[in-house]
Amino acid sequence: MNKLKATSFDIAYRAGVSQSTVSRALRNSPQVNEETRKRIQAIAKELNYKVDKNASNLRTRHSGTIALLLFEELDDTESHINPFYLSMLGSITRTCSKEGYDLLVSFQQFSDDWSADYADTNKADGLILLGYGDYLDYEGKLNELVEQGTKFVRWGAVVEGEPWLSIGCDNKNGGYLITRHLLSLGRRTIAFIGGADNHSPELYERYKGYCKAIEEAGYYVDLGLQFDAVTTEIDGAKALERLLASEKKFDAIVCASDLIAIGVIGALQEKGFQVPEDIAVVGFDDLTVARYSKPALTTVQQNTNLAGQMLVYNLLKQIDEAEVETRHIPAKLIVRESCGSKL
Amino acid sequence: MNKLKATSFDIAYRAGVSQSTVSRALRNSPQVNEETRKRIQAIAKELNYKVDKNASNLRTRHSGTIALLLFEELDDTESHINPFYLSMLGSITRTCSKEGYDLLVSFQQFSDDWSADYADTNKADGLILLGYGDYLDYEGKLNELVEQGTKFVRWGAVVEGEPWLSIGCDNKNGGYLITRHLLSLGRRTIAFIGGADNHSPELYERYKGYCKAIEEAGYYVDLGLQFDAVTTEIDGAKALERLLASEKKFDAIVCASDLIAIGVIGALQEKGFQVPEDIAVVGFDDLTVARYSKPALTTVQQNTNLAGQMLVYNLLKQIDEAEVETRHIPAKLIVRESCGSKL
DNA sequence: CTGAAAGCGCTTACAG
DNA sequence: CTGAAAGCGCTTACAG
């Protein structure tokens, strides 16, 4: 059953035409006779012939393929990928296939020398970058990509004046909306758990929105109520310990992500606090678990479907050297139970 | 910044050797002088030279790439992929990269003519197949793949005598374990929600395990207590309606998947039933949500990490024409709240 | 240890 | 509308 694959020469021989004509016919070139084309295509089908992509890609100098690089901070095999990126993957994959592109997926340890292998080796025409560890390190790598002329688009905070294309949620507005919601519910001393500096620009933006809402309501932002955490349950729980140890008073917590919020709620409940009665807790991302957590999480939704599409379309524009623009995805407040709305 | 990419000829020119020698040096051929090799590699690095994969793949006749095809039944863009497959994706991706293979990911509508494009066009050396609609239709496509000599491995029920390689969980044992657990808790009239015929062999196996446990305990299996459902929340809720409408008595439900169980529990609670006090409900898969659902789901865990590895390793063996064997992943009972253990 | 040469299977000017 | 030919950038016998 391991018969050799047919080539365009085989088709040409059977059709009694030249190999060039076969190539044209198969690509539906308008300059080939209707009848001839049909005959050739019929023979191709019969022989189960498919154009060899390696050969055509080599010739045309592009691959019709996009590479998706997912960065993970964790060093180990068991690590779970952030479900947020996973849900984006769905829409990226679908958009690619709609546009006739194939998608290579790869997880990268942040420490890897990932430069741009897929692009450099001509396996992919461009890259989509999701996730990263410390932004300040990451920036350097991004600059290398730009220098090498690699086409790419990344998901993350949209910063003015960057020499690359970023697509991101309107994080600041999201942080603003959800904090304002808490304020409207009568909460007055609101803590923030999540990084709030340039090491994690997305979370920082959310923090800025939080600050804006508080100031707008006529209060002062207490810097002592912000505690760093990366986006994991464990880090959320740890940050809560520090919040508690600080002996500050607070009646609500804005968490910079759902994962953090879930860790915080678990730790809070363990200590005997009622959420949201004693402390309201809200998240960011609207992961699937937000709906199922107990209490169900009030959070900010980022439209991952739209996000995936924009990443792909903008990358393709870039590949085609077309106009491209840095863009925000809207942030949408999703009210459930953990904020205390139903109290 | 759009300088042409360097080729092996450029390197050869600078190193003062032939292009063949460059090619050998870069592939660490032992038959090239140590010093020459180092010099060549240094120049290659300096020029940021990377071997063109299209050219080398064309020459060597293999791509170092595997394609993962994820089948979806739903026809629409918004559809969520079964999270079970998503978690498998993580381990597949990691295993591939550990083995030096790239991974193409693609969602396929079941109706597509997916035959084996990736393999036929030489973009991939083999395929991994996850998910499917109706197994009986699917079988035909699998046979086509075999006929065309395409290398592939699939996740699913392991059936004796199939002409292809399947890796699957020990579904029957899983169904057995969880039903026996319910029995040991004193539940006597246990319904089963999920397909129980050859259209969905995996669920059918789980049903067989359920039957075995019941019979082993000395009871009769009531065929009227089995209700079809595909693996979605909605279908679970609908099947529950039918169960209720049948006016049969029951004190527990074995659901063929977590998604079904979550739909069932939601519908049950809506009607005023207490889970697990009135009715115990258990699932299968151990999705992330199983931990967060309310009550937390007792279920059967399939080791997706191991599953992904086995899929990749077995496919690679097949590509290398090595011995390969159909294999089961063990099923593990995970006891949480929904079975009523803690009552 | 090294080089000249063939060839992997296409696409696409060029000429007719 | 069609064909002969060049060439994409490699790898690998073959010869030395």
Side-chain angles (χ1 to χ4, degrees):
Chain A
M1 207 80 291
N2 232 334
K3 53 197 167 197
L4 265 306
K5 267 167 189 157
T7 73
S8 50
F9 284 94
D10 300 324
I11 314 283
Y13 177 78
R14 300 210 187 196
V17 296
S18 76
Q19 181 268 342
S20 336
T21 301
V22 171
S23 178
R24 289 192 191 97
L26 261 18
R27 327 186 67 247
N28 287 313
S29 161
Q31 45 169 346
V32 64
N33 181 291
E34 168 92 18
E35 222 172 299
T36 317
R37 191 181 67 221
K38 280 191 179 152
R39 185 158 42 97
I40 291 174
Q41 290 185 336
I43 295 175
K45 186 158 191 182
E46 189 191 336
L47 265 52
N48 192 37
Y49 169 80
K50 295 277 161 51
V51 171
D52 184 303
K53 286 288 185 183
N54 292 130
S56 66
N57 291 348
L58 175 58
R59 195 43 239 247
T60 60
R61 319 274 39 238
H62 62 77
S63 63
T65 303
I66 282 174
L68 172 63
L69 307 193
L70 254 163
F71 295 91
E72 306 182 288
E73 302 171 61
L74 305 170
D75 46 345
D76 205 59
T77 66
E78 283 290 345
S79 76
H80 276 281
I81 314 137
N82 188 325
F84 178 72
Y85 295 121
L86 242 26
S87 79
M88 210 119 95
L89 172 67
S91 125
I92 290 174
T93 309
R94 275 192 209 88
T95 311
C96 280
S97 91
K98 192 186 302 169
E99 296 298 310
Y101 273 77
D102 292 324
L103 215 223
L104 279 163
V105 174
S106 153
F107 295 169
Q108 309 270 330
Q109 304 296 37
F110 185 54
S111 53
D112 291 354
D113 174 27
W114 46 279
S115 44
D117 259 24
Y118 289 118
D120 290 344
T121 62
N122 291 322
K123 279 204 87 160
D125 301 332
L127 311 178
I128 294 177
L129 272 28
L130 290 186
Y132 48 81
D134 186 308
Y135 183 72
L136 299 179
D137 297 339
Y138 176 74
E139 244 183 330
K141 306 238 185 183
L142 256 22
N143 276 314
E144 276 177 33
L145 290 188
V146 172
E147 255 169 53
Q148 289 163 207
T150 303
K151 317 273 188 182
F152 71 95
V153 52
R154 60 179 286 273
W155 175 259
V158 180
V159 178
E160 282 308 312
E162 285 172 339
W164 49 72
L165 215 215
S166 298
I167 309 285
C169 166
D170 188 346
N171 290 296
K172 182 169 176 185
N173 189 238
Y176 169 75
L177 289 176
I178 202 157
T179 307
R180 195 182 60 174
H181 176 69
L182 247 18
L183 255 3
S184 78
L185 260 20
R187 307 283 170 165
R188 287 295 170 264
T189 335
I190 306 179
F192 184 93
I193 295 187
D197 56 31
N198 289 322
H199 292 278
S200 48
E202 289 190 85
L203 308 194
Y204 196 12
E205 288 294 312
R206 294 169 196 180
Y207 180 68
K208 287 178 190 160
Y210 152 95
C211 293
K212 181 181 166 203
I214 289 178
E215 284 164 358
E216 199 179 271
Y219 301 99
Y220 288 105
V221 171
D222 180 351
L223 264 31
L225 276 173
Q226 182 271 326
F227 291 82
D228 281 350
V230 300
T231 289
T232 62
E233 295 180 43
I234 298 175
D235 232 44
K238 281 186 192 158
L240 179 78
E241 297 287 350
R242 282 179 275 127
L243 205 199
L244 257 18
S246 79
E247 308 219 335
K248 290 251 180 196
K249 285 242 157 60
F250 60 96
D251 55 13
I253 306 175
V254 171
C255 298
S257 80
D258 285 353
L259 252 22
I260 292 176
I262 286 171
V264 165
I265 290 177
L268 233 25
Q269 289 173 159
E270 217 165 78
K271 302 232 181 276
F273 290 97
Q274 298 270 29
V275 178
E277 290 79 354
D278 303 330
I279 313 279
V281 178
V282 299
F284 206 111
D285 282 347
D286 196 27
L287 304 182
T288 310
V289 291
R291 242 195 351 265
Y292 295 103
S293 107
K294 177 186 164 186
L297 217 55
T298 290
T299 188
V300 174
Q301 180 180 294
Q302 314 186 55
N303 186 335
T304 52
N305 203 43
L306 180 59
Q309 286 170 225
M310 289 197 39
L311 285 168
V312 175
Y313 288 133
N314 274 304
L315 177 57
L316 294 185
K317 276 192 201 159
Q318 218 178 330
I319 290 171
D320 296 344
E321 313 271 333
E323 263 320 284
V324 111
E325 30 180 328
T326 296
R327 291 278 281 282
H328 271 152
I329 303 286
K332 182 178 167 194
L333 177 66
I334 306 285
V335 176
R336 284 193 274 249
E337 305 161 359
S338 67
C339 57
S341 265
K342 297 174 183 172
L343 250 32
Chain B
M1 206 80 292
N2 232 332
K3 54 198 167 197
L4 265 306
K5 267 170 187 154
T7 72
S8 50
F9 283 94
D10 299 323
I11 314 284
Y13 177 76
R14 301 210 185 197
V17 296
S18 76
Q19 180 268 342
S20 335
T21 300
V22 171
S23 177
R24 289 192 192 98
L26 262 17
R27 325 185 69 247
N28 287 313
S29 162
Q31 45 168 347
V32 66
N33 181 291
E34 169 91 18
E35 223 172 296
T36 317
R37 191 182 66 219
K38 280 190 179 153
R39 187 159 39 97
I40 290 172
Q41 291 185 336
I43 296 176
K45 186 158 192 184
E46 188 192 336
L47 264 53
N48 192 36
Y49 169 79
K50 295 277 160 50
V51 171
D52 183 303
K53 287 287 187 184
N54 291 131
S56 66
N57 291 347
L58 175 58
R59 197 41 241 249
T60 61
R61 319 276 38 239
H62 62 77
S63 64
T65 303
I66 282 174
L68 172 64
L69 307 192
L70 255 163
F71 295 91
E72 305 182 288
E73 302 170 62
L74 305 170
D75 47 344
D76 207 59
T77 66
E78 283 289 346
S79 76
H80 276 280
I81 314 138
N82 188 326
F84 178 73
Y85 294 120
L86 241 25
S87 79
M88 209 118 95
L89 172 66
S91 128
I92 290 173
T93 309
R94 275 191 209 90
T95 311
C96 280
S97 90
K98 192 184 303 168
E99 296 298 310
Y101 273 78
D102 292 324
L103 216 223
L104 279 164
V105 174
S106 152
F107 295 168
Q108 309 272 329
Q109 305 296 37
F110 185 54
S111 52
D112 290 353
D113 175 26
W114 46 280
S115 44
D117 259 23
Y118 289 117
D120 290 343
T121 62
N122 291 322
K123 278 204 88 161
D125 300 332
L127 311 177
I128 294 177
L129 272 28
L130 291 186
Y132 47 81
D134 188 310
Y135 183 72
L136 298 179
D137 297 338
Y138 178 74
E139 243 183 330
K141 305 239 185 181
L142 256 22
N143 275 315
E144 277 177 32
L145 290 188
V146 172
E147 255 170 53
Q148 289 165 206
T150 303
K151 317 273 185 180
F152 72 94
V153 51
R154 61 180 285 274
W155 174 261
V158 179
V159 177
E160 282 308 311
E162 285 171 341
W164 49 70
L165 215 213
S166 298
I167 309 284
C169 166
D170 188 347
N171 290 298
K172 182 170 177 186
N173 190 237
Y176 169 74
L177 289 176
I178 202 158
T179 308
R180 196 182 60 174
H181 177 69
L182 247 19
L183 256 1
S184 79
L185 259 21
R187 307 285 170 164
R188 287 294 169 265
T189 332
I190 307 178
F192 183 94
I193 295 187
D197 55 32
N198 289 322
H199 291 279
S200 48
E202 290 190 85
L203 307 194
Y204 195 12
E205 288 294 311
R206 294 170 195 179
Y207 180 66
K208 287 177 190 161
Y210 153 94
C211 294
K212 181 181 163 202
I214 290 179
E215 285 165 358
E216 198 179 272
Y219 301 99
Y220 288 105
V221 171
D222 180 351
L223 264 32
L225 277 174
Q226 181 272 326
F227 291 82
D228 282 348
V230 300
T231 288
T232 64
E233 296 180 42
I234 297 174
D235 232 45
K238 281 188 195 158
L240 179 79
E241 297 287 350
R242 282 179 274 127
L243 206 197
L244 256 20
S246 78
E247 307 218 334
K248 290 254 182 195
K249 285 240 156 58
F250 61 97
D251 55 12
I253 307 176
V254 171
C255 298
S257 81
D258 284 354
L259 253 21
I260 293 176
I262 285 171
V264 165
I265 290 177
L268 234 24
Q269 289 173 157
E270 217 166 79
K271 303 231 180 275
F273 290 96
Q274 298 269 29
V275 179
E277 290 79 354
D278 303 330
I279 313 279
V281 178
V282 299
F284 205 110
D285 283 346
D286 197 27
L287 304 182
T288 310
V289 291
R291 237 190 6 259
Y292 295 104
S293 105
K294 178 184 162 187
L297 218 56
T298 290
T299 188
V300 173
Q301 181 180 292
Q302 315 185 53
N303 186 335
T304 51
N305 204 42
L306 180 60
Q309 287 171 226
M310 290 198 39
L311 284 168
V312 175
Y313 288 133
N314 274 304
L315 177 57
L316 294 186
K317 276 192 201 160
Q318 216 179 330
I319 289 170
D320 297 343
E321 314 271 333
E323 263 320 283
V324 112
E325 30 180 329
T326 296
R327 291 278 281 283
H328 274 309
I329 304 286
K332 183 178 165 194
L333 178 65
I334 306 285
V335 176
R336 284 193 273 249
E337 304 162 0
S338 68
C339 56
S341 267
K342 296 173 181 172
L343 253 30

